[in-house]
Amino acid sequence: LWAALPRNFNSFVARTNTCGELRSAHVGQEVTLCGWIQYQRQGLFLVLRDFQGLTQIIIPQDEAHSHVKKVLYDAPVESVVRVTGTVTSRPPGQKNPRMPTGDIEVKVKTAEVLNSCKKLPFEIKDFIKKSEALRMQYRYLDLRSFQMQHNLRLRSQMVMKMREYLCNLHGKRNISSEYLGAKEFVVPSREPGRFYCLPQSPQQFKQLLMVGGLDRYFQVARCYRDEGSKPDRQPEFTQIDIEMSFVDQAGIQRLIEGLLQYSWPNERGPITTPFPSMSYAEALAEYGTDKPDTRFGIKIIDVSDVFRSVEIGFVQNAVNKPQGTVKAICIPQGARHLQNKDFESLKESAKSQFNQEVLHLSLKPYESLKSPLSKFLSVEQHSELIQALKVQADDVVLLAAGEHEKVCLVLGNMRLETANLLESRGLVLRDPTAFHFLWVVDFPLFLHKEENPAELESAHHPFTAPHPSDTSLLYSEPAKVRSQHYDLVLNGSEIGGGSIRIHNAEQQRFVLETVLKEDPELLSHLLEALKCGAPPHGGIALGLDRLICLVAGAPSIRDVIAFPKSFKGRDLMSNAPDYITPEELEPYHIQVAWPAAEAEGRKHQLM
């Protein structure tokens, strides 16, 4: 019913219309508009802006309205004004087809400056370049830009459609879970030595809702992660959190596909479901990552068989080891668009990030492969390598040998770096208007710890259920167990992840105590709940900030959040985090242990 009603942006406010809605059909009507002065031209006209658009305002020049002219002429740009006047057609030849309101203008009769504006630190125009730090410091001004207004409106519209889909069409209940949870950001309490923590996600609480028989839950959840910001991360972030009882992996996937299809903005074109799916092992082997960008090729190819009989020391060392391999990627037109310094940079990156050597080979027209390796390859092996990689003239091959996972990771990184280089030279590999979704499934349930490979840690989290086919391995060879964990990837970014959960208390205790060597008593409340008739259940969380960032085509998630933190996790506008006094800390039984030099400086400040 409500969806069928026309939207009214002018109810309850002191205007008749917005600055973006007037058209030729409104000619002759008297209207009242409120907004900001975008710019003014020689006291003849000005452009008024609000959240919906722009309208050209004609300033009266006759003596009877001289006070109106003075009010508007004296008002600085970005002042807030209210004007009343008559909608008229623009004269022939003066219509602006690039402006939705470009067929009309408003001839003002009365005007009032509601608030004058001082000189601003930057102009409110999208084409004006501003540093991110300046934008963060004056975020309330940055929000006036059309791009930020568009991004936040897009976010609001998608979230509303998601709520409609989940609540009205699929009977989910919007339930708020606890914010004060079990790990990460510490929050002091008034009980000595006791603290809350802000959770990374409402994981345990949504599982307990299923034990409570609520069957279907979702929440637009604010979550917290105590780490420095990255282009696609913030210390506080929002996710669409979902949990269901009596569901399997396919059910969760179909729900999310339907949710995205229903909430997808029309201007971005339709998306096709079901989304393709790929195992973790396949993603690693072909793309060198668990979040492949499938908008372009340059897949990793195993060429171990070509090099198995090649008498090169490091190659033989690699292929003769149990997990040893030789792999390569073929960069189309690499010899034409990339220079030697680019290849040296790529090799240095591989060495510094992965401690892995990478060789490059190039194929010139009508010639054989050029590389220091060439002298070790027979004519037949040359031909096999060219055929395996489908090498064309001017292509370049990047080759690495070593342990399977390490070689895949380094070539996956090289794949993305070379794509960036080629696109910087004018080639288009990744269509910015395309949206390629992908499910990545069959992740390992456990990983070997980097600091102690003899011990295991959860690849996702300790509540993820083992793959039904691998349940018996959990008790004998847990490192080989696949999980019921699934990630949703869009254009090479992970936008969601979830799993089917362990609903058996004994299996959950075994994972915690025996496999992960953790104290199960820390999760005694969850273990007790699982003994009380917990249904099979599973869920997923979509990263809302990252999803909207990709849909909007924004360079950073900070461009789709109203008041984000800076790259270092600071609020440059309110100067948070900030110091508090010892008196303010006293109720929480906390003292700050300052570094010696800083403590001495603060002591002098207080004197």
Side-chain angles (χ1 to χ4, degrees):
L1 173 63
W2 293 108
L5 295 175
R7 290 178 297 177
N8 186 358
F9 293 119
N10 305 304
S11 51
F12 318 117
V13 295
R15 64 171 180 247
T16 61
N17 300 86
T18 68
C19 294
E21 67 176 294
L22 296 177
R23 301 292 188 272
S24 295
H26 296 92
V27 168
Q29 294 182 17
E30 185 170 286
V31 297
T32 298
L33 306 178
C34 299
W36 287 262
I37 297 175
Q38 177 86 355
Y39 63 84
Q40 186 203 105
R41 178 69 60 86
Q42 298 174 341
L44 299 175
F45 71 89
L46 58 82
V47 172
L48 199 62
R49 183 194 73 243
D50 67 6
F51 71 99
Q52 208 185 26
L54 304 168
T55 296
Q56 182 165 288
I57 306 297
I58 301 301
I59 301 173
Q61 303 298 309
D62 58 295
E63 187 63 31
H65 293 91
S66 59
H67 63 289
V68 175
K69 179 177 181 179
K70 178 172 175 51
V71 165
L72 295 178
Y73 183 78
D74 292 344
V77 169
E78 289 303 310
S79 293
V80 184
V81 301
R82 178 168 57 220
V83 299
T84 297
T86 303
V87 181
T88 63
S89 291
R90 292 199 189 188
Q94 293 185 22
K95 293 184 178 183
N96 185 350
R98 294 174 298 176
M99 198 172 170
T101 61
D103 288 345
I104 60 90
E105 56 195 12
V106 174
K107 290 189 175 180
V108 176
K109 295 177 180 177
T110 64
E112 179 186 0
V113 176
L114 301 176
N115 207 337
S116 185
C117 183
K118 69 169 191 174
K119 183 174 175 58
L120 300 181
F122 53 81
E123 291 185 70
I124 311 299
K125 293 175 182 174
D126 285 343
F127 61 83
I128 298 292
K129 296 294 183 183
K130 307 168 284 279
S131 70
E132 187 170 70
L134 191 64
R135 292 177 60 204
M136 296 298 102
Q137 184 179 354
Y138 296 97
R139 189 60 163 187
Y140 46 86
L141 297 178
D142 189 51
L143 288 173
R144 294 183 190 175
S145 71
F146 278 121
Q147 191 59 58
M148 284 302 303
Q149 295 262 327
H150 171 269
N151 291 351
L152 295 179
R153 188 159 49 246
L154 174 69
R155 181 186 180 114
S156 173
Q157 290 167 351
M158 287 191 70
V159 170
M160 288 301 294
K161 293 286 284 184
M162 287 178 175
R163 288 184 185 277
E164 186 178 302
Y165 179 86
L166 293 170
C167 288
N168 299 352
L169 300 185
H170 292 284
K172 286 192 174 288
R173 304 183 190 188
N174 187 2
I175 303 172
S176 295
S177 64
E178 296 292 329
Y179 276 128
L180 297 177
K183 90 194 257 195
E184 295 298 351
F185 278 107
V186 174
V187 180
S189 76
R190 291 176 181 266
E191 296 184 48
R194 289 179 177 267
F195 298 84
Y196 299 103
C197 290
L198 296 177
Q200 283 196 44
S201 75
Q203 180 59 49
Q204 294 176 46
F205 299 104
K206 61 183 179 179
Q207 289 191 242
L208 293 171
L209 288 173
M210 299 303 102
V211 179
L214 286 162
D215 192 70
R216 294 183 169 209
Y217 141 95
F218 92 95
Q219 181 183 181
V220 182
R222 181 60 59 91
C223 304
Y224 306 88
R225 182 187 290 116
D226 188 6
E227 66 177 15
S229 290
K230 299 175 182 177
D232 61 349
R233 287 195 174 180
Q234 282 270 289
E236 53 186 344
F237 56 99
T238 306
Q239 59 187 36
I240 306 296
D241 205 47
I242 293 171
E243 199 79 5
M244 297 173 69
S245 296
F246 310 109
V247 72
D248 60 10
Q249 179 172 310
I252 295 287
Q253 290 174 334
R254 298 297 84 81
L255 172 76
I256 295 302
E257 290 168 358
L259 172 70
L260 289 169
Q261 201 168 40
Y262 188 85
S263 61
W264 199 253
N266 292 331
E267 62 267 26
R268 290 294 182 262
I271 54 176
T272 304
T273 59
F275 300 153
S277 182
M278 181 183 295
S279 72
Y280 167 80
E282 185 182 354
L284 183 67
E286 293 190 358
Y287 296 94
T289 177
D290 60 0
K291 43 182 182 292
D293 188 341
T294 55
R295 289 175 296 173
F296 71 109
I298 315 185
K299 292 184 181 181
I300 300 170
I301 305 295
D302 192 315
V303 290
S304 300
D305 289 344
V306 177
F307 285 89
R308 203 165 296 280
S309 59
V310 174
E311 295 300 323
I312 305 175
F314 80 94
V315 172
Q316 286 302 308
N317 289 340
V319 296
N320 289 329
K321 289 180 180 177
Q323 293 292 317
T325 185
V326 183
K327 295 181 182 291
I329 57 173
C330 180
I331 305 167
Q333 300 296 293
R336 181 177 297 179
H337 297 282
L338 302 179
Q339 303 170 358
N340 281 334
K341 65 177 183 179
D342 297 318
F343 296 117
E344 293 307 313
S345 175
L346 289 169
K347 292 176 184 179
E348 179 58 35
S349 174
K351 188 69 176 175
S352 61
Q353 292 186 57
F354 300 92
N355 193 27
Q356 173 72 50
E357 296 288 347
V358 171
L359 299 175
H360 81 277
L361 308 84
S362 60
L363 179 66
K364 295 291 185 182
Y366 313 111
E367 295 181 12
S368 59
L369 283 168
K370 295 294 183 184
S371 166
L373 280 178
S374 299
K375 61 184 177 183
F376 297 100
L377 299 176
S378 66
V379 173
E380 184 180 351
Q381 287 166 335
H382 264 111
S383 178
E384 287 179 17
L385 187 60
I386 290 171
Q387 188 174 357
L389 295 169
K390 297 182 172 58
V391 183
Q392 304 292 323
D394 284 328
D395 288 354
V396 170
V397 173
L398 295 181
L399 184 141
E403 187 269 327
H404 169 77
E405 182 173 343
K406 188 176 179 182
V407 166
C408 289
L409 290 174
V410 71
L411 288 178
N413 181 267
M414 296 295 100
R415 175 179 180 266
L416 295 177
E417 286 199 31
T418 53
N420 291 337
L421 284 169
L422 290 172
E423 290 188 334
S424 71
R425 310 286 159 81
L427 272 72
V428 179
L429 297 180
R430 296 167 289 197
D431 182 354
T433 66
F435 295 95
H436 285 215
F437 288 92
L438 175 72
W439 287 108
V440 179
V441 300
D442 294 345
F443 284 82
L445 186 59
F446 305 109
L447 299 173
H448 292 281
K449 290 183 177 180
E450 283 189 25
E451 65 276 13
N452 186 359
E455 294 184 2
L456 297 175
E457 61 185 359
S458 295
H460 187 218
H461 58 55
F463 316 116
T464 299
H467 193 286
S469 303
D470 294 353
T471 303
S472 60
L473 289 173
L474 179 65
Y475 304 96
S476 57
E477 297 179 277
K480 294 183 178 180
V481 178
R482 292 169 298 162
S483 70
Q484 294 189 69
H485 164 203
Y486 33 84
D487 278 353
L488 181 59
V489 177
L490 173 58
N491 292 356
S493 291
E494 179 195 333
I495 61 165
S499 68
I500 301 302
R501 324 300 187 189
I502 297 172
H503 67 281
N504 177 280
E506 291 309 312
Q507 187 178 83
Q508 184 66 79
R509 179 177 285 274
F510 178 82
V511 167
L512 292 169
E513 193 170 33
T514 306
V515 179
L516 300 177
K517 313 296 183 188
E518 294 182 3
D519 182 2
E521 293 309 308
L522 295 174
L523 292 167
S524 58
H525 57 286
L526 178 63
L527 293 171
E528 283 298 309
L530 295 180
K531 293 177 184 177
C532 299
H537 58 282
I540 192 169
L542 294 179
L544 182 64
D545 307 312
R546 200 175 301 177
L547 171 63
I548 303 298
C549 178
L550 292 169
V551 175
S556 161
I557 64 170
R558 289 186 283 280
D559 291 305
V560 298
I561 301 172
F563 295 99
K565 301 297 184 288
S566 73
F567 190 76
K568 294 183 178 180
R570 294 187 59 83
D571 184 339
L572 300 181
M573 185 178 65
S574 63
N575 199 33
D578 204 351
Y579 300 108
I580 61 175
T581 66
E583 291 75 21
E584 291 171 307
L585 284 172
E586 188 175 352
Y588 304 106
H589 313 281
I590 295 174
Q591 287 184 325
V592 178
W594 297 100
E598 191 167 350
E600 186 66 23
R602 289 186 64 79
K603 184 172 73 174
H604 286 300
Q605 287 177 6
L606 296 172
M607 286 181 176

